[in-house]
Amino acid sequence: MSKISKFFKGSSSSSSSSSSKSKHHRSRGGPSPQEAIHKLRETEEMLTKKQEYLEKRIEQEIMIAKKNGTKNKRAALQALKRKKRLEQQLTQIDGTLSTIEFQREALENSHTNTEVLKNMGYAANAMKQIHENMDLDKIDDLMHEITEQQDVAHEISDAISRPTGEIFDEDELLAELAELEQEELEDNMKSMGGLPNVPSSKLPSARPSQRATTKKRVEDDDDMRMLASWGT
């Protein structure tokens, strides 16, 4: 054997061995969830097409049985037998599709949960790195300092808004104002000549004749009311 043939033979053997190793490595690792889901979907599509084909075949066999029902009984029976076998296959495919669909949904849920947990792990690591650079004692000191500065700011605001200069008692000012108003009222009364004098003598009382007349009128009114009550 020539050296060239030996070289090509060695290269082919090495390439075949490397390809077998890669295939072995891939099979050892297993397919990814996306690949498995894709394969299951392809299988579902294939079985769905097979269902459609079987349904059409069943309809054809029914038509053959009806056509040969009175003319060729043997052909009609054969058509019905084929229809039964097709229906059995259709039932098996229905069960297989249900199993594949359940498996695909479980795989999709597992993949989703895995991605969620992975992202939660990333977030937890990020929070851990952030908190590693924080000192709780320093945070407490910082918050205490912020509180003190806020108190100082409030004190400064109160000092700025406080009125300056002389401070008077408002009650004293109101009392003084009342005295001034009383003095002004007295001055006005003096300028008008003062209040009129109250008469010291008693007012004349009613005469005896007037008192008797009034008493007589009251008695007459009482008599009239009594007569009216008797009449009713």
Side-chain angles (χ1 to χ4, degrees):
M1 185 181 293
S2 62
K3 294 181 180 180
I4 297 174
S5 62
K6 289 181 180 179
F7 175 77
F8 280 108
K9 184 177 180 181
S11 61
S12 61
S13 61
S14 61
S15 61
S16 61
S17 61
S18 62
S19 62
S20 62
K21 287 181 181 179
S22 62
K23 290 181 181 178
H24 181 67
H25 178 71
R26 184 181 300 175
S27 62
R28 183 187 301 175
S32 64
Q34 293 86 351
E35 292 175 351
I37 292 171
H38 180 69
K39 290 292 185 181
L40 289 174
R41 289 187 182 277
E42 288 182 348
T43 305
E44 285 180 334
E45 292 178 358
M46 179 188 68
L47 292 176
T48 302
K49 291 179 180 180
K50 184 69 178 295
Q51 274 185 331
E52 295 175 356
Y53 170 75
L54 291 175
E55 289 174 353
K56 291 180 180 179
R57 285 287 309 277
I58 290 171
E59 291 178 358
Q60 292 176 358
E61 298 298 334
I62 292 173
M63 293 297 295
I64 293 172
K66 289 181 178 180
K67 184 179 180 180
N68 298 317
T70 55
K71 299 178 182 180
N72 191 350
K73 189 175 181 180
R74 183 177 179 181
L77 292 175
Q78 292 294 330
L80 292 175
K81 290 179 181 180
R82 289 192 297 268
K83 182 182 76 72
K84 291 293 184 182
R85 289 195 298 268
L86 294 173
E87 287 176 349
Q88 290 177 356
Q89 295 180 19
L90 189 61
T91 303
Q92 292 175 355
I93 291 175
D94 287 336
T96 304
L97 278 174
S98 298
T99 304
I100 291 175
E101 184 178 1
F102 175 78
Q103 188 178 11
R104 177 178 55 79
E105 290 177 353
L107 184 59
E108 288 175 347
N109 292 332
S110 299
H111 177 62
T112 302
N113 294 333
T114 302
E115 292 296 325
V116 170
L117 291 174
K118 187 186 297 182
N119 293 331
M120 291 176 67
Y122 290 154
N125 291 330
M127 291 178 65
K128 184 178 179 181
Q129 291 179 0
I130 293 172
H131 292 159
E132 284 179 354
N133 298 325
M134 292 184 180
D135 188 358
L136 294 178
D137 295 333
K138 291 182 179 179
I139 293 173
D140 292 336
D141 295 338
L142 177 62
M143 295 305 297
H144 182 67
E145 185 177 355
I146 291 172
T147 304
E148 289 182 352
Q149 294 302 321
Q150 288 178 349
D151 295 337
V152 172
H154 287 306
E155 292 178 359
I156 293 173
S157 299
D158 293 339
I160 292 174
S161 61
R162 189 178 302 130
T164 58
E166 296 181 352
I167 300 175
F168 301 99
D169 189 359
E170 187 174 357
D171 294 334
E172 293 181 359
L173 295 176
L174 291 174
E176 186 176 356
L177 179 60
E179 291 178 0
L180 293 174
E181 291 177 351
Q182 184 66 28
E183 290 178 0
E184 185 179 0
L185 179 61
E186 292 176 356
D187 292 339
N188 291 332
M189 295 299 295
K190 288 179 181 180
S191 63
M192 294 173 61
L195 294 173
N197 295 326
V198 179
S200 59
S201 60
K202 295 183 179 179
L203 294 175
S205 59
R207 289 180 293 179
S209 61
Q210 291 177 350
R211 291 199 296 270
T213 303
T214 303
K215 183 177 181 181
K216 180 71 169 56
R217 187 177 300 166
V218 172
E219 291 176 354
D220 293 339
D221 292 338
D222 292 338
D223 293 338
M224 294 297 294
R225 284 196 293 271
M226 186 178 295
L227 289 173
S229 63
W230 288 351
T232 58

